[in-house]
Amino acid sequence: MATSDTAVSLSNVRKTYRIGEPVHALDGVSLEVPQGSYTAIMGPSGSGKSTLMNLVGCLDTPTEGTVVVGGREVGALGDRERTRLRGTEVGFVFQTFNLMPRLNAVENVALPQLFQNVGRSERRERARALLERVGLADRADHQPNELSGGQRQRVALARALVNDPAIVLADEPSGNLDTDTEADILDLFDEFHGGGTTMLVVTHERHVAERADRIVHLLDGKIERIEDLEGSSESRAGSAAGRGTGREGRRNGGGDAE
C-alpha cells in the first residue's frame, strides 16, 4: 500500500502482450520506491526493464495489479489524466536526449512547463536557473547541435527537473557518453538525489547501478532479488541534504532553483 512517503508503488503488477501466445513482460511485480530514494533497475534484455519504466512513467497501464504514482492509481485514469500526471510527477532522462532540435537549451528546458500553464517569463527564469545548476549557464542560448553529448544530457536533466517531479526516471542515461562525461552526469544525479529528488535509473551497467541505494534485479518479468548497497550514497545525501534542492526543499523556499 502506497503512503505519503512513497513516490511509486507497484502491487502484483502483470503486463501481458498477446502476439500469438501471451508474453508476460512483467509477472507479479511488487515494489515500492520511497520518496527521496535512489533505485537502479538491472536485468538482461527481455527481463521487463522497459515495461517497468513505461508503467512507472505513466506511458502504459498494467494488465493486472496496481501502479500508483504521486498518490494516484495510473490504471484508473483516462488518457488525459494520465498525461497530466506524467507531466507533473515524472521527469524523463533518455539515452538519446530527445531534445527538440529547433529550440535552444532554455526553450528545451522550459517546454514541459508550457503544458502546465506557467507564464513565459516564469518558464524562462526557472529554465535558466536549472541550466545554471547543471553548469550550462553560458550555453543557454545554444541549440542541441551546438552542444556536446554531455551538455545535451545536462539539458535533458534540467528539463526532467523543471516541473519539480516526484521522481526522475532515467533510461540508460549514460549510454551515449564517454567515461569522464558519464561520471559528471552521475555526479549530478547524486547531487539532486542528495537534495531530495527521487531517482529511478534503468541501466545495463553495474558501475552506474552502484551509485544507487539499492539495485532491483529483474529476470523474466519477475524481481529476482533486491540488492541493498549500504552506505553507497548516504554520504552524498548527507552532504547535500541541507541545501534544500529537492522537491520539498523548493516548496519550502529552500535552495537556489527558484
Side-chain angles (χ1 to χ4, degrees), residues 88-256:
T88 56
E89 297 296 325
V90 182
F92 292 92
V93 181
F94 298 99
Q95 178 178 348
T96 53
F97 318 130
N98 288 6
L99 300 178
M100 300 295 289
R102 296 181 182 274
L103 301 182
N104 63 27
V106 166
E107 292 165 339
N108 265 289
V109 174
L111 187 61
Q113 299 174 97
L114 183 63
F115 307 104
Q116 307 301 324
N117 298 318
V118 179
R120 183 175 184 274
S121 60
E122 185 179 350
R123 292 198 307 268
R124 295 181 70 86
E125 181 180 356
R126 172 76 171 147
R128 287 187 180 276
L130 279 167
L131 285 171
E132 183 175 0
R133 287 289 313 282
V134 300
L136 288 180
D138 60 340
R139 296 290 188 271
D141 298 318
H142 288 60
Q143 291 183 317
N145 64 359
E146 299 173 312
L147 302 173
S148 69
Q151 289 170 337
R152 279 177 277 172
Q153 192 61 292
R154 288 170 183 265
V155 174
L157 176 57
R159 181 186 59 188
L161 292 162
V162 76
N163 279 335
D164 197 17
I167 184 168
V168 169
L169 181 60
D171 182 21
E172 300 288 354
S174 61
N176 285 331
L177 305 177
D178 61 62
T179 302
D180 289 341
T181 306
E182 173 190 76
D184 289 342
I185 293 299
L186 295 178
D187 285 347
L188 281 170
F189 283 12
D190 290 344
E191 178 185 339
F192 281 102
H193 165 243
T197 300
T198 306
M199 303 295 301
L200 183 62
V201 177
V202 177
T203 181
H204 284 94
E205 303 291 342
R206 175 75 192 187
H207 69 278
V208 173
E210 286 180 343
R211 293 289 191 115
D213 300 321
R214 62 176 180 165
I215 304 174
V216 177
H217 295 268
L218 291 181
L219 183 65
D220 297 330
K222 298 176 182 289
I223 293 180
E224 181 186 29
R225 63 191 174 99
I226 296 178
E227 178 183 1
D228 289 322
L229 302 175
E230 187 175 352
S232 62
S233 62
E234 288 177 358
S235 60
R236 294 193 298 267
S239 65
R243 293 200 292 266
T245 55
R247 186 180 178 87
E248 293 303 322
R250 287 194 294 271
R251 286 181 172 175
N252 293 328
D256 56 2

